[in-house]
Amino acid sequence: MAAKTKVLLLMVIFILAALAAGCTPAAPSSATPGQEVDKEQSVQSSMGTADTMRLTVYYATADAMYLSPEVKVVPKTDHPAQNAMELLLQDPKSHELVKVMPDGTKIRGLTIKDHVAFVDFNDKLAKNNGGGSTTEMLIVGAIVNTLTEFPDIHKVQILVEGKKVDTLSGHMDLSEPLSRSEKIVKKSL
């Protein structure tokens, strides 16, 4: 296909997409499971309306092999990252996703310093997680990917009872802050 034809085709697609976007109703309160959520969308979604904000939280797919984002509209708070972690402890709205956080897990605190989020959980995070490598990978990935949706958080240090831990169940090194992983995120269901 000639370069001019490709450019013309891309322009037509762009115009049609812009027209369609202007005619669609307001976005739903949660993303379709598997919907890609990029950083720019995350920054926009964290704004919400004057009294609400949109937070992206990662849950496991029903086959427990991947993570998938779910966008939630919640009342605005002064601590959106803490709020996102609290949402991670709840069940997802989509029936195609499942909660990965172990029962009884509570957040003891969350601080951000030099673009690293230090999130402190009670001991149930380690004691009630089932012990498998996939489970540990999904839990850690859900925590890290949910928090790194915020533009001021680049890495996450997971703490248990206020202390650094080497691992949750022996399969992943948690002794240092962790970066986001897109490999574990399923792009479509």
Side-chain angles (χ1 to χ4, degrees), residues 4-152:
K4 286 183 180 182
T5 306
K6 285 182 183 178
V7 171
L8 182 59
L9 181 59
L10 286 173
M11 288 176 50
V12 169
I13 290 171
F14 177 77
I15 291 169
L16 289 174
L19 288 173
C23 298
T24 58
S29 62
S30 63
T32 307
Q35 176 181 355
E36 291 186 41
V37 181
D38 63 16
K39 280 297 206 187
E40 183 177 43
Q41 180 183 356
S42 173
V43 171
Q44 293 171 351
S45 68
S46 67
M47 294 177 198
T49 64
D51 55 349
T52 63
M53 60 185 173
R54 294 167 52 100
L55 300 174
T56 302
V57 179
Y58 286 82
Y59 295 104
T61 55
D63 63 3
M65 296 300 294
Y66 297 96
L67 295 175
S68 186
E70 185 171 87
V71 178
K72 299 186 179 253
V73 176
V74 296
K76 190 173 277 188
T77 70
D78 291 335
H79 306 287
Q82 172 91 19
N83 197 12
M85 284 292 95
E86 295 290 341
L87 292 170
L88 187 60
L89 298 176
Q90 300 173 11
D91 290 324
K93 290 184 181 184
S94 170
H95 298 294
E96 296 179 26
L97 300 175
V98 293
K99 177 178 87 166
V100 296
M101 299 301 284
D103 289 337
T105 301
K106 301 228 183 287
I107 297 160
R108 295 171 25 108
L110 189 147
T111 58
I112 302 166
K113 182 179 179 184
D114 298 327
H115 301 288
V116 177
F118 294 84
V119 58
D120 184 14
F121 295 94
N122 67 357
D123 64 351
K124 303 298 185 214
L125 181 70
K127 289 182 177 179
N128 293 351
N129 72 39
S133 59
T134 302
T135 300
E136 185 175 8
M137 180 179 63
L138 291 170
I139 291 168
V140 171
I143 294 167
V144 173
N145 282 12
T146 296
L147 285 172
T148 56
E149 282 291 322
F150 295 94
D152 59 331

